[in-house]
């Protein structure tokens, strides 16, 4: 359980490239055919492809809690580029990601094919359009994955949640499903090996994960909650929804 040798890491990298190619092929096949139902087909393909990529990289997951059926705004603490694969490998979701992800190697091509909602970190009209796009997906019955911290952290308790994205759940009258992520090493101890923070490059992070040895991701699914509770202005609803989700994730990670 100590780290992998360079030769073993290169072997895992080759498996990861093969797994990513298979995942992209699955997604590509899912995009062929009629437009009706394409998003649903693609999310299922991403679900299967994510499991293939995780397995090829030597990343295992352990789930606690049940995944709710139907539309939901899925919100999680954000630690690594692996987070999306872990959650998508647990249940089909449509991810929301920053625009830069579209240009990432391996992940970018798959993300572009999956209908990922790429957002710019700006306010004004862009923010309104982003919320409307997410709300439209929720109304169509999809689960949409959002990382409300807006950035990655080394792990531990989640940082402050940005409230804007929760407006989509309020507008679509969809529940908010919190998810808590925790990364462990081969001995079951918390590890920052998978953390992707600061100005680190993606390939450097991938290489560190491959050299670190076995990685286990504990995925906790607390009970969902409605986005709208009682009365008040819509801003009050999204603030409450963000607070409830943050509290449930913090509690799940501490337990």
């Amino acid at each position: 359980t100590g780290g992998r040798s360079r030769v073993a890491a290169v072997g895992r990298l080759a498996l990861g490239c093969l797994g990513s190619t298979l995942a992209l092929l699955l997604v590509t096949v899912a995009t062929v055919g009629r437009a009706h139902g394409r998003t649903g087909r693609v999310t299922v393909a991403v679900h299967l492809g994510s499991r293939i990529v995780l397995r090829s990289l030597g990343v295992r997951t352990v789930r606690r809690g049940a995944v709710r059926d139907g539309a939901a705004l899925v919100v999680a603490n954000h630690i690594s580029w692996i987070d999306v694969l872990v959650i998508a490998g647990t249940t089909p979701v449509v991810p929301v990601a920053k625009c830069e992800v579209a240009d990432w190697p391996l992940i970018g091509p798959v993300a572009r094919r999956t209908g990922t909602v790429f957002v710019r970190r700006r306010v004004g009209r862009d923010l309104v359009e982003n919320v409307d796009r997410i709300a439209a997906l929720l109304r169509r019955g999809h689960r949409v994955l959002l990382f409300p911290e807006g950035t990655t952290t080394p792990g531990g308790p989640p940082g402050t949640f940005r409230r804007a994205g929760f407006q989509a759940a309020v507008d679509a009258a969809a529940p908010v499903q919190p998810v808590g992520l925790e990364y462990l090493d081969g001995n079951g101890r918390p590890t920052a090996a998978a953390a992707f923070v600061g100005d680190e490059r993606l390939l450097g992070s991938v290489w560190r994960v491959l050299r670190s040895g076995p990685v286990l991701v504990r995925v906790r699914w607390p009970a969902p909650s409605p986005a709208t509770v009682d009365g008040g202005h819509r801003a009050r609803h999204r603030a409450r929804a963000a607070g409830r989700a943050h509290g449930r994730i913090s509690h799940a990670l501490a337990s």
Side-chain angles (χ1 to χ4, degrees):
T1 58
R4 293 191 182 100
S5 67
R6 182 179 295 270
V7 173
V10 170
R12 276 292 178 185
L13 178 60
L15 287 174
C17 291
L18 177 59
S20 299
T21 302
L22 291 175
L24 181 58
L25 179 60
L26 281 173
V27 173
T28 302
V29 171
T31 60
V32 176
R34 59 180 183 174
H36 178 71
R38 180 176 297 169
T39 302
R41 296 196 305 271
V42 169
T43 56
V44 172
V46 172
H47 170 64
L48 298 174
S50 296
R51 298 181 69 172
I52 292 172
V53 173
L54 290 172
R55 180 64 63 87
S56 65
L57 293 175
V59 177
R60 296 190 301 115
T61 61
V62 175
R63 188 182 76 188
R64 294 185 177 179
V67 181
R68 178 190 182 277
D69 291 333
L73 182 66
V74 180
V75 297
N77 58 312
H78 201 10
I79 299 171
S80 173
W81 50 271
I82 302 176
D83 298 347
V84 176
L85 297 174
V86 168
I87 296 176
T90 303
T91 186
V93 293
V94 180
V96 177
K98 59 184 181 180
C99 289
E100 293 86 345
V101 173
D103 298 322
W104 284 3
L106 299 179
I107 295 175
V110 176
R112 290 194 298 270
R113 283 278 187 177
T114 62
T116 296
V117 180
F118 293 110
V119 299
R120 297 182 180 89
R121 296 181 180 179
R122 293 161 57 184
V123 297
R125 180 175 299 177
D126 285 341
L127 179 59
V128 174
E129 290 179 353
N130 293 335
V131 169
D132 288 344
R133 291 167 65 193
I134 297 170
L137 288 166
L138 292 171
R139 292 190 186 100
R140 287 160 53 192
H142 297 292
R143 298 187 191 91
V144 181
L145 171 60
L146 175 70
F147 296 104
E149 288 169 293
T151 186
T152 52
T153 68
T160 302
F161 279 4
R162 299 182 180 184
R163 303 173 181 178
F166 290 87
Q167 186 62 52
V170 173
D171 292 346
V176 176
Q177 171 63 70
V179 180
L181 301 175
E182 182 182 19
Y183 286 79
L184 308 173
D185 62 17
N187 291 317
R189 298 172 300 197
T191 178
F196 182 52
V197 295
D199 297 326
E200 184 178 19
R201 295 184 179 275
L202 176 63
L203 291 179
S205 176
V206 172
W207 182 247
R208 188 177 68 253
V209 171
L210 294 173
R211 287 298 302 271
S212 67
V215 175
L216 175 67
V217 189
R218 188 176 290 154
V219 189
R220 295 178 173 89
W221 290 76
S225 61
T228 303
V229 177
D230 300 326
H233 191 269
R234 60 204 305 255
R236 187 176 182 182
H237 287 311
R238 65 173 177 261
R240 287 176 172 177
R244 285 192 297 270
H246 188 281
R248 293 192 179 190
I249 292 174
S250 299
H251 182 268
L253 293 175
S255 60

